[in-house]
Amino acid sequence: MYTLSNNIKIPKIGFGTWQIPPGEIAYKSVLDAIKVGYKHIDTAYAYENEQSVGKAIKDSGVNRDELFITSKLPSHIKDYEGTVKHFNLTMENLGLEYLDLYLIHAPWPWDEIGKDCSQGNVLAWKAMIEFFKAGKIRAIGVSNFNKEEIENIVKHTNFVPHVNQIQFHIGHTQNETVSYCNKHNIFIEAYSPLGTGRVLKNETVIEMAKKYNVTPAQLSIRYCLEKNTAPLPKTTSKDRMIENINVDFKINVEDIKILDEL
Ligand code: A2P
C-alpha cells in the first residue's frame, strides 16, 4: 500500500480497464483480476464499462472496504451541475455507496486537446470537493493535468488534489509534472505502464528483463513502483494478470539509470 496525503491507503498496483469492452469481457476480466488478488480497480464513465465493473465487484464476494475503486468525470464535463449529474450516474452504474477515488479525466475534452478550460475545471473541482467533504469519495484528484492546470484549481479552491493519474512508463516519465506533484504531495498513478504494449518490444527492456529473470512486462511494472507511482496495467488474460502483480524484485540503481535514459 501507498499512503495518500489525506492518509488514505491505496494498493500499489491497480487493474486498469481502459479499452476493455463492456459486457461479458469487462465483467469476466474484473472478476478474474479480483480473484487473482487485485484490490484496486480503475475505471471511468468514458470507458462505458462501469456497469460491468460494478457487477463484477458485487459478484466477487470481496468486502467493499477491502477494495479500492476509482472512476473519472468525463473530460467534456466542465461545470458544477454536470459534475454532480455524472458523479451520480457513475455511482448508479457501479452500484456503490461510495468511491475511493474520483478524478477529473482530463483538463480538456479529448476531442479538443489543449483547449483552455481553466474556469470549468474549477467548477468541476468545487463539486468534487463537496462530494469529498460529504464522505461520498475518500480521495479526489485529476488526470492528465500539468503543473499549470493543477495550480489553477488549487489557486481558486485552496484544495490540493490527492492524486494525478498520468501516462507514465519507461520512455515516457513526464519529469516536470512528476517532480511538481512529488513536491506538493500529489500522488502519481501510472496509466499505460507498458506503453500500451510498445515498451515490451524495446530491445534494452527485453535484455534487462532476462538478466532479472522476469518478463518485459514485469520489468516495466516494477520500474513504475521503483519510481513510487501506482501502475495500472490492463489485460484481459488471467495469466497476464497474475504475471503483472508478481513483481517482488528490485531493479538496481545503475539499471534504473539506463531505463531512465530510454
Ligand atoms: P492483452 O489485454 O491482450 O493482454 P498498458 O497497460 O500499458 O495500457 O498495456 C496494455 C496492453 O499490453 C494490452 O494490449 C495488453 O494485451 C498487453 N499486456 C498486458 N499485460 C501483458 C503482459 N504481461 N505481457 C504482454 N502483454 C501484456
Side-chain angles (χ1 to χ4, degrees):
M1 297 273 193
Y2 290 111
T3 304
L4 302 180
S5 60
N6 62 339
N7 280 327
I8 295 293
K9 303 268 188 227
I10 176 169
K12 286 195 167 182
I13 301 178
F15 182 69
T17 65
W18 178 43
Q19 289 177 334
I20 300 190
E24 195 50 35
I25 300 181
Y27 172 73
K28 186 173 180 307
S29 300
V30 174
L31 202 57
D32 282 346
I34 296 174
K35 263 190 214 147
V36 305
Y38 289 80
K39 295 277 195 267
H40 172 178
I41 312 290
D42 182 275
T43 184
Y45 184 85
Y47 301 168
E48 296 179 351
N49 59 19
E50 284 177 323
Q51 287 184 0
S52 319
V53 170
K55 187 168 183 315
I57 291 168
K58 198 156 287 143
D59 292 352
S60 73
V62 175
N63 286 342
R64 174 66 185 93
D65 61 1
E66 287 176 41
L67 297 172
F68 190 100
I69 311 297
T70 302
S71 195
K72 312 185 191 85
L73 176 72
S75 64
H76 64 284
I77 304 300
K78 298 296 180 197
D79 62 353
Y80 181 91
E81 292 75 19
T83 304
V84 172
K85 180 179 150 197
H86 278 81
F87 174 70
N88 288 327
L89 286 173
T90 279
M91 298 312 285
E92 251 174 59
N93 283 342
L94 287 167
L96 297 176
E97 300 280 309
Y98 68 90
L99 262 191
D100 294 280
L101 179 63
Y102 195 49
L103 307 173
I104 299 181
H105 206 144
W108 16 249
W110 284 113
D111 53 3
E112 290 177 282
I113 291 181
K115 182 182 175 188
D116 179 7
C117 298
S118 21
Q119 254 185 322
N121 284 328
V122 171
L123 297 173
W125 192 233
K126 283 184 175 164
M128 286 170 61
I129 294 168
E130 286 180 13
F131 291 135
F132 170 75
K133 290 190 172 158
K136 292 181 182 169
I137 316 171
R138 296 173 72 227
I140 53 175
V142 293
S143 182
N144 300 294
F145 273 48
N146 65 21
K147 173 177 179 283
E148 289 72 28
E149 287 152 350
I150 296 174
E151 278 173 347
N152 166 56
I153 58 168
V154 174
K155 187 170 85 192
H156 290 93
T157 59
N158 212 14
F159 194 106
V160 180
H162 302 117
V163 167
N164 187 14
Q165 183 182 122
I166 58 171
Q167 187 176 7
F168 181 96
H169 51 78
I170 294 169
H172 187 69
T173 48
Q174 307 212 46
N175 296 341
E176 202 190 324
T177 300
V178 170
S179 67
Y180 173 80
C181 288
N182 287 343
K183 194 166 147 211
H184 291 87
N185 215 354
I186 301 169
F187 180 69
I188 297 283
E189 290 188 315
Y191 76 75
S192 296
L194 313 176
T196 61
R198 275 172 304 143
V199 175
L200 312 180
K201 297 188 192 121
N202 180 279
E203 273 309 315
T204 308
V205 171
I206 292 169
E207 282 311 307
M208 197 183 286
K210 280 186 198 152
K211 176 176 135 182
Y212 286 93
N213 211 9
V214 297
T215 65
Q218 289 169 320
L219 187 78
S220 304
I221 291 164
R222 184 71 222 179
Y223 177 81
C224 295
L225 296 173
E226 302 285 1
K227 296 288 178 180
N228 287 315
T229 71
L232 308 170
K234 63 177 169 294
T235 176
T236 49
S237 141
K238 197 170 177 181
D239 289 342
R240 286 176 171 175
M241 289 173 196
I242 296 167
E243 176 185 330
N244 293 350
I245 47 172
N246 199 351
V247 289
D248 197 10
F249 66 101
K250 292 294 291 176
I251 307 175
N252 72 41
V253 180
E254 291 75 35
D255 287 334
I256 288 284
K257 275 193 197 139
I258 293 169
L259 297 175
D260 285 345
E261 295 300 315
L262 290 180

